[in-house]
Amino acid sequence: MGFAPGMIVQELGWDNDTDDGLRMAIEDAIDADMVDGDYGNVVDAVLLWWRDEDGDLVDALVDALTDLTGGGIIWLLTPKVGRPGAIDPADIAEGAPVAGLSQTTTAVASSDWAATRLVAPKTTH
């Protein structure tokens, strides 16, 4: 998933159904704990756990951009198709551009979760 030591990764949408093995692997890769939504500083990547019943995906993606550095990555983790809470891939494909994101990759994250890599536009200063 491209995580490296020293990266600051913000985790949003954690719940009892998230994959602890995947979470630990990410924390091992960045050699630190992930930060939560109250972090209040710039992050390199956001890990967003999202289920169909969680509400409006576009709103969640826009919120995920709050602390994300320009050119940062959002990994949208959703239950795999056929699992409870699964999201139609078309909803992601339609919602990402509305939130100002580009969808680049979809991968299997774990036995129950799919991962979609969304990239934020780079800021120019």
Side-chain angles (χ1 to χ4, degrees):
M1 294 177 84
F3 297 113
M7 288 181 78
I8 300 170
V9 178
Q10 185 177 56
E11 181 181 36
L12 304 173
W14 179 92
D15 206 340
N16 293 331
D17 63 346
T18 56
D19 188 300
D20 285 335
L22 178 60
R23 295 178 73 245
M24 289 179 4
I26 292 167
E27 289 182 338
D28 287 347
I30 63 174
D31 197 26
D33 291 337
M34 289 185 277
V35 299
D36 64 17
D38 297 328
Y39 180 63
N41 208 335
V42 177
V43 299
D44 301 303
V46 173
L47 191 69
L48 176 59
W49 300 94
W50 196 257
R51 302 143 202 94
D52 187 46
E53 64 272 5
D54 286 343
D56 187 274
L57 178 60
V58 173
D59 287 347
L61 293 172
V62 169
D63 289 346
L65 287 167
T66 302
D67 297 329
L68 190 65
T69 187
I73 298 166
I74 295 175
W75 278 103
L76 176 63
L77 293 160
T78 57
K80 286 183 178 176
V81 173
R83 306 271 199 300
I87 294 173
D88 187 331
D91 292 342
I92 298 170
E94 292 170 11
V98 174
L101 297 163
S102 298
Q103 181 176 339
T104 62
T105 307
T106 302
V108 173
S110 71
S111 59
D112 291 323
W113 293 87
T116 303
R117 184 178 186 266
L118 303 170
V119 180
K122 294 185 178 180
T123 56
T124 55
H125 293 285

